[in-house]
Amino acid sequence: MDVFSEILSGVKLNGAVFFSAEFSAPWGFLQPAANVMAARIAPGAEHLVLYHLVIEGAAVIELADGEPIELKPGDVVIFPDGDAHHMSSGKGAIRPFPNYGITDKIKSRDLSPLRAGGGGEISRFVCGYMTCDPYLCRPLLNGLPPVFKVNIRTDRSGHWLESSILHLVEEAESERAGSEAMLAKLSEALFVDTLRRYVSSLPEQQMGWLAGARDPIVGKSLGLLHGRVAHPWTIAALADEVGISRSALVERFTRYLSEPPMAYLTRWRLRLAARSLEKTSRGVAEIAADVGYESEAAFNRAFKREFGQPPGRYRSDHKSSPQIGQASA
């Protein structure tokens, strides 16, 4: 059971490549925070995850208050919360960095490589982003540091992803039909692949959602709960599905996620319901049924316990951009 696929399929993950560069040392630029970038590249996006993929040469990443992170070819560096940062050739790059026309390049959606810099060693890279619902992506995002890197040149699938992205960037430059749509899908695949690689590198003693998703028992449990959220789960039924005793399942699940499976499921169901109340005009009874409640009254009680107000009042306080007839993912 692939819990990453289950949760990511439910949060409307969308990605794109927005910048391609071939810089010669010394060079450097400031990547603004996600809330600034969103207005330029993804208007209306509620949450932006930024990434850079280094193709050739080297680069150095610096957050406002963090240590430098050195990048080499094949490295993907991801900023889950889209924090502002500097990217440069490192030694010899003097601030303040010029813009090089990057802003205009991004605004015009021009994916041809921007060539600039001081004439030294060449660094090639592409920059991209993912948008997702921050409310529903929270289990994933909470377990990630402000920035992390993974090298994808360790196996054939990583090499294929990299070469495919480069090929489609070239096609987008020539304005070949469909290339941007394909790039979007590959950006999503790159993000998921990078996330998997990061999780596989976590130490054995690591706790939290991401580490739990890697555990064979907890991960399978999470996949089942996310994949069949409206199913009338009991701890006995879930334990039977994953092949472990009820007490052992509760202990193992709680060790990673600090709450037992049924409490986690209730919280996730109500989170889905809250998002649907905010984003759609569907009836409360229909939303309740979609997240596994047979009784609207039982749903109302559970919702009020979680959010401090009944569904109707929550909707009126949080309503935004109704999409009649469409459910929130």
Side-chain angles (χ1 to χ4, degrees):
M1 182 64 64
D2 186 349
V3 63
F4 293 109
S5 296
E6 289 292 351
I7 195 168
L8 291 173
S9 68
V11 296
K12 296 182 179 177
L13 194 68
N14 293 295
V17 170
F18 67 87
F19 181 62
S20 174
E22 185 176 301
F23 286 165
S24 58
W27 58 268
F29 65 91
L30 168 66
Q31 177 81 70
N35 59 344
V36 176
M37 289 300 298
R40 300 177 185 172
I41 59 178
E46 293 183 86
H47 189 85
L48 215 61
V49 176
L50 300 172
Y51 74 83
H52 307 299
L53 167 61
V54 178
I55 309 300
E56 178 186 343
V60 176
I61 294 291
E62 292 180 82
L63 291 177
D65 57 354
E67 291 296 316
I69 299 173
E70 296 184 358
L71 305 178
K72 62 180 184 296
D75 277 345
V76 181
V77 59
I78 288 185
F79 303 82
D81 293 316
D83 291 350
H85 57 275
H86 289 102
M87 187 170 182
S88 74
S89 55
K91 190 174 181 179
I94 301 173
R95 300 178 191 176
F97 299 134
N99 183 263
Y100 301 117
I102 293 173
T103 302
D104 291 338
K105 195 90 164 172
I106 291 172
K107 283 182 178 178
S108 64
R109 303 176 67 87
D110 180 1
L111 285 181
S112 62
L114 176 61
R115 295 178 173 88
E121 182 182 356
I122 296 293
S123 295
R124 294 175 59 214
F125 55 91
V126 296
C127 306
Y129 69 86
M130 306 301 303
T131 66
C132 66
D133 185 324
Y135 203 56
L136 302 183
C137 264
R138 191 49 52 192
L140 283 175
L141 298 175
N142 278 349
L144 294 171
V147 57
F148 66 94
K149 70 171 182 176
V150 169
N151 194 281
I152 62 171
R153 290 189 181 177
T154 57
D155 54 39
R156 292 176 62 185
S157 66
H159 279 280
W160 178 85
L161 263 176
E162 181 183 353
S163 61
S164 298
I165 287 173
L166 287 178
H167 173 68
L168 285 170
V169 166
E170 292 173 0
E171 286 199 346
E173 181 184 349
S174 65
E175 299 184 350
R176 183 171 179 179
S179 55
E180 284 196 28
M182 290 293 291
L183 261 176
K185 294 300 180 185
L186 280 175
S187 283
E188 296 163 27
L190 179 66
F191 174 70
V192 175
D193 184 72
T194 303
L195 190 61
R196 290 184 203 275
R197 292 171 191 265
Y198 172 76
V199 170
S200 68
S201 71
L202 291 173
E204 288 299 319
Q205 67 272 22
Q206 184 83 22
M207 296 294 111
W209 196 94
L210 289 171
R214 179 184 61 181
D215 180 83
I217 297 298
V218 178
K220 185 174 182 180
S221 302
L222 285 168
L224 288 165
L225 296 177
H226 281 277
R228 294 154 60 187
V229 71
H231 184 76
W233 289 109
T234 63
I235 192 62
L238 183 62
D240 186 59
E241 286 268 10
V242 299
I244 195 173
S245 72
R246 286 174 290 177
S247 59
L249 174 59
V250 169
E251 186 279 329
R252 194 158 173 170
F253 197 100
T254 303
R255 184 181 354 134
Y256 280 100
L257 281 85
S258 301
E259 62 182 344
M262 295 301 101
Y264 176 89
L265 175 61
T266 296
R267 194 180 303 278
W268 181 247
R269 283 172 167 172
L270 294 174
R271 182 172 288 187
L272 290 173
R275 211 51 171 162
S276 196
L277 287 166
E278 294 174 26
K279 297 292 187 180
T280 80
S281 295
R282 300 169 68 220
V284 172
E286 185 181 0
I287 291 172
D290 276 353
V291 296
Y293 284 85
E294 295 181 0
S295 161
E296 184 178 350
F299 170 72
N300 288 344
R301 290 192 297 271
F303 194 93
K304 187 174 182 179
R305 281 195 302 270
E306 181 70 17
F307 294 99
Q309 55 186 168
R313 186 176 302 166
Y314 181 93
R315 166 171 269 167
S316 63
D317 288 349
H318 296 82
K319 191 67 174 174
S320 64
S321 303
Q323 302 168 25
I324 297 174
Q326 295 184 16
S328 171

